Amino acid sequence: MGHWFSRNIVEPGKLPMLLALTSFIVTFLVTRAIVRLIRAGKGPFGNVSSGGLHIHHVVPGVVLTVIGGFGAVGSDRHGFGAALFAVVFGIGAGLVLDEFALILHLDDVYWSDEGRKSVEVVVLTAALVGLTLSGFSPLGVDDMTADERQDRLTFILTLALNFLLILITLVKGKFRMAVIGTLIPFVAIVGAVRLARPGSWWARRFYGRRHRARARSRIRTYRHDKRWTRIRRRAQDLIGGFQERVPGRGGSTPS
C-alpha cells in the first residue's frame, strides 16, 4: 500500500490535491454538524455576529480560499508549503460551497429548498476532484516499465471515454446522472443513450421537429421525477439536515 501511495500520489505531485479534497469533505461535514447543533439549540456553538450583523461562514471561507489558492500557486508541489496551503484551500472551499445557495440567490436560503443546491454542488465538486485525483498520469513518475505505461494509457483512455459520456449526459439535462457517473464509471452511459430532458440543450438542438421524441421525453421525465424525487430529497435531508425539528416549532419546516 505504501509503494502504491508513493508511486501514484506522491511522485506525480498529487498529495496536495488529496489533502485539499480530504480537508474539503471533512470541513463540509463538520460545518453541517455544527450548524445543525446551533439550529437545534444544542452544544456550546452559536452564531457569529458583529454589531448586529450575522457573519456567515462563507466569509472566512473566502479568506481561507484566497490564502490557500495563492499560497499553493507559489509553492512547490512536493514541499511542506504546498501541503499546508492545500489544506487551507480545502477548508476554505468547504466553507464557501456549504453556502453556495446563499451566493447564488444572494439571500439566506440555507435551510430552504433552494439551500439544497449547496449539498448538490458539494457532492459534485468532491466527485470531480476525486475523478481528477484518480486519473493517475505517467508524468512525474520515475522509471516506469512498459507494462506500467500501457496500463496507465489504457486507464487514461477509459477516463476520457467516461468523461465524454458524462458531458453528453450533462447537455441532455441529466445533472445528477452525470454526478453519479463521475463516482461510478460508465453509469453515465445510461443518461447518454436515453432521451434528453425537456428544455435541455440537446432537446432544443435535436428535438425541434421531432414531436414524438419531445412527447416521450416529457412523459419519461415526469415518471422519473415522480419515482426519484422523494429518494433524492431524503438523501439531502440526511446530509444537510433540512427536515430536522427546530425548538419551539411544532413541525419540521426549514427555518
Side-chain angles (χ1 to χ4, degrees), residues 7-249:
R7 191 77 162 167
N8 295 291
I9 300 296
V10 177
E11 282 191 32
K14 291 191 174 184
L15 181 59
M17 183 182 295
L18 176 62
L19 293 173
L21 176 60
T22 303
S23 60
F24 170 77
I25 295 174
V26 171
T27 299
F28 169 73
L29 295 176
V30 171
T31 302
R32 278 282 162 174
I34 291 176
V35 296
R36 289 163 78 170
L37 289 173
I38 294 174
R39 188 181 184 217
K42 301 178 181 179
F45 307 104
N47 291 321
V48 179
S49 301
S50 177
L53 176 66
H54 174 59
I55 307 297
H56 292 272
H57 50 267
V58 67
V59 177
V62 170
V63 175
L64 292 176
T65 302
V66 171
I67 294 174
F70 279 105
V73 170
S75 302
D76 182 76
R77 289 191 301 170
H78 298 274
F80 173 77
L84 176 62
F85 284 119
V87 172
V88 173
F89 177 82
I91 294 173
L95 293 172
V96 170
L97 292 188
D98 184 51
E99 294 203 302
F100 171 82
L102 181 148
I103 301 172
L104 179 64
H105 294 278
L106 294 179
D107 193 12
D108 190 0
V109 294
Y110 195 85
W111 293 115
S112 67
D113 280 342
E114 289 82 0
R116 296 174 184 272
K117 294 185 179 68
S118 296
V119 176
E120 293 188 358
V121 167
V122 167
V123 173
L124 174 62
T125 301
L128 292 178
V129 175
L131 180 65
T132 303
L133 188 63
S134 66
F136 303 126
S137 172
L139 299 177
V141 180
D142 300 325
D143 302 324
M144 284 198 309
T145 65
D147 289 338
E148 286 180 321
R149 285 195 295 269
Q150 181 64 34
D151 290 342
R152 289 181 183 233
L153 177 60
T154 301
F155 187 72
I156 291 173
L157 291 176
T158 301
L159 286 178
L161 176 59
N162 192 52
F163 177 79
L164 177 61
L165 294 173
I166 292 171
L167 183 61
I168 295 174
T169 303
L170 281 174
V171 298
K172 284 192 171 185
K174 303 176 182 181
F175 174 79
R176 296 178 183 88
M177 179 66 73
V179 173
I180 296 175
T182 63
L183 296 170
I184 306 176
F186 296 109
V187 167
I189 194 172
V190 177
V193 300
R194 291 177 67 86
L195 287 169
R197 292 180 67 91
S200 65
W201 179 89
W202 189 282
R204 295 194 303 270
R205 178 66 177 80
F206 296 105
Y207 298 167
R209 298 182 179 179
R210 297 173 59 189
H211 303 293
R212 293 184 61 184
R214 291 204 308 272
R216 289 171 57 202
S217 174
R218 287 194 294 268
I219 293 173
R220 286 190 179 182
T221 299
Y222 171 77
R223 292 175 177 173
H224 176 275
D225 291 347
K226 185 178 180 180
R227 182 185 305 118
W228 292 103
T229 296
R230 181 177 298 179
I231 297 175
R232 185 181 71 248
R233 290 175 69 88
R234 286 180 178 176
Q236 293 171 343
D237 292 343
L238 179 63
I239 297 173
F242 291 98
Q243 297 301 314
E244 292 174 354
R245 292 179 179 273
V246 181
R249 297 192 176 193

